Amino acid sequence: MLKTTAVAATFCAVAGAGIVGYGETTAQAAQAQTQARSQAQDQAQSASSTAARHGDGDSLSGTKKIRVGGYSVNVSCSGHSAGRKPVVVLMAGGGDGLDTMAGLQKTFSKKARVCSYDRLGEGESDQPNGTQTIDDSSRILTGVLDRVTGDRPVVLAGHSLGGLIAARYAPDHRDRVKGLVLMDATIPALTAGVSKAIPDSATGMAAELRDQTIAVNEGQNPEKFVIADAKVRSAGNIPVQIIRHESQYAEVPDYGPALEEMWAEGQEQWRALSGRSRISVAAGSGHYIHVDRPDIAVKAIQRVTAQATAHS
């Protein structure tokens, strides 16, 4: 079992066999039974979800389970909407549940509406039936936003894999995503990057890191999510704050510099999301920026939310 901070930087998941040996068969059977029993409930809820899309989305408060696309999804919302101020939606990294965003949510809920959710396979949400792509994850996110934000604009603030999903989602949903905060988001071409940074000749921990990263990207992770390399598409002229870690790969010294260069270049690629993109380094932070430097994360979200409000 490989459990290093370097692995955390690629997916933020419990490493090694803990990712792959996930009890898929049992989980899938239970999920199929749950879906069969709740099909009628989904149909009934469809109308209310459509209606919620035309409201302000403030009706859901606290932590609750909602039905989205045949699945039970765990969501948490707090605070209230004000004027045209966007709802902040926090998106955790891979292997993490919404509880890892609890500190940020508590801070922002004092003066704004803020929500978070467990993606399929994470936290208290259902397991996915099979392999997920970005389209699958986007459909779930749309269903969640319909329920918890209504017609209100949103700022997506994502960590690691959550940041990648937010960045891939925004270009196709410019009508509702008015700002992005990417906290050490998984880079746009991680498989190609790690394969270049750690060559086939590598051995030991470095080779394990490379092989596991590729396996995780192919879907061997709790979400069964395929993290495909792809170019960055524009999300329009929205405010985007990109924050990357200061140091992460000390445990693989032979290839640490190459990995840091790979990660930094990948963060720069996210700037293509918008002409209003800004990038910064969180001094003293590892991969979990919102934990190591919550002050930086808070200021970034506040800045993007204020900019999005001014242009709404």
Side-chain angles (χ1 to χ4, degrees), residues 53-312:
R53 181 73 173 95
H54 298 288
D56 61 11
D58 273 7
S59 58
L60 192 154
S61 182
T63 301
K64 299 180 180 179
K65 303 287 184 66
I66 64 174
R67 300 294 302 178
V68 178
Y71 294 96
S72 175
V73 178
N74 191 44
V75 301
S76 176
C77 290
S78 49
H80 298 282
S81 302
R84 288 303 297 167
K85 191 173 184 179
V87 178
V88 175
V89 178
L90 304 173
M91 302 177 64
D96 292 333
L98 59 80
D99 57 304
T100 64
M101 293 293 184
L104 287 181
Q105 183 159 334
K106 182 178 180 180
T107 296
F108 284 102
S109 63
K110 297 174 182 178
K111 297 183 179 180
R113 171 81 165 164
V114 57
C115 296
S116 56
Y117 74 107
D118 290 329
R119 292 188 299 276
L120 299 185
E122 306 288 8
E124 298 299 319
S125 289
D126 281 348
Q127 303 297 322
N129 277 337
T131 299
Q132 294 193 93
T133 66
I134 187 62
D135 290 338
D136 299 314
S137 186
S138 293
R139 281 192 290 271
I140 295 297
L141 176 54
T142 294
V144 169
L145 294 181
D146 285 349
R147 289 292 306 280
V148 304
T149 70
D151 277 341
R152 302 193 67 80
V154 300
V155 167
L156 300 180
H159 169 242
S160 196
L161 181 61
L164 179 141
I165 293 172
R168 298 294 193 207
Y169 183 84
D172 293 325
H173 298 84
R174 301 186 188 189
D175 61 324
R176 73 192 323 172
V177 180
K178 302 303 181 181
L180 289 170
V181 178
L182 308 182
M183 296 173 281
D184 224 28
T186 302
I187 62 176
L190 179 56
T191 296
V194 76
S195 297
K196 179 181 178 181
I198 304 178
D200 291 340
S201 59
T203 59
M205 181 179 290
E208 289 184 68
L209 172 60
R210 180 199 61 224
D211 294 345
Q212 186 178 10
T213 299
I214 293 172
V216 164
N217 292 352
E218 291 175 345
Q220 295 183 28
N221 57 68
E223 298 177 42
K224 301 176 186 174
F225 183 85
V226 177
I227 309 171
D229 290 356
K231 293 182 178 180
V232 179
R233 296 182 298 127
S234 173
N237 197 37
I238 63 173
V240 178
Q241 178 65 57
I242 303 154
I243 315 170
R244 68 176 176 88
H245 68 253
E246 181 177 42
S247 178
Q248 184 63 36
Y249 294 102
E251 295 188 35
V252 280
D254 292 343
Y255 298 97
L259 289 168
E260 291 291 2
E261 181 179 1
M262 170 203 76
W263 199 259
E265 289 177 353
Q267 298 302 311
E268 287 287 341
Q269 291 172 21
W270 285 128
R271 297 186 69 171
L273 282 163
S274 170
R276 297 169 66 195
S277 295
R278 295 178 55 183
I279 190 167
S280 61
V281 177
S285 175
H287 185 49
Y288 280 76
I289 292 170
H290 57 297
V291 175
D292 296 338
R293 291 298 308 272
D295 56 320
I296 291 177
V298 167
K299 289 179 181 178
I301 298 173
Q302 288 175 333
R303 180 165 53 247
V304 168
T305 301
Q307 291 172 343
T309 303
H311 287 82
S312 63

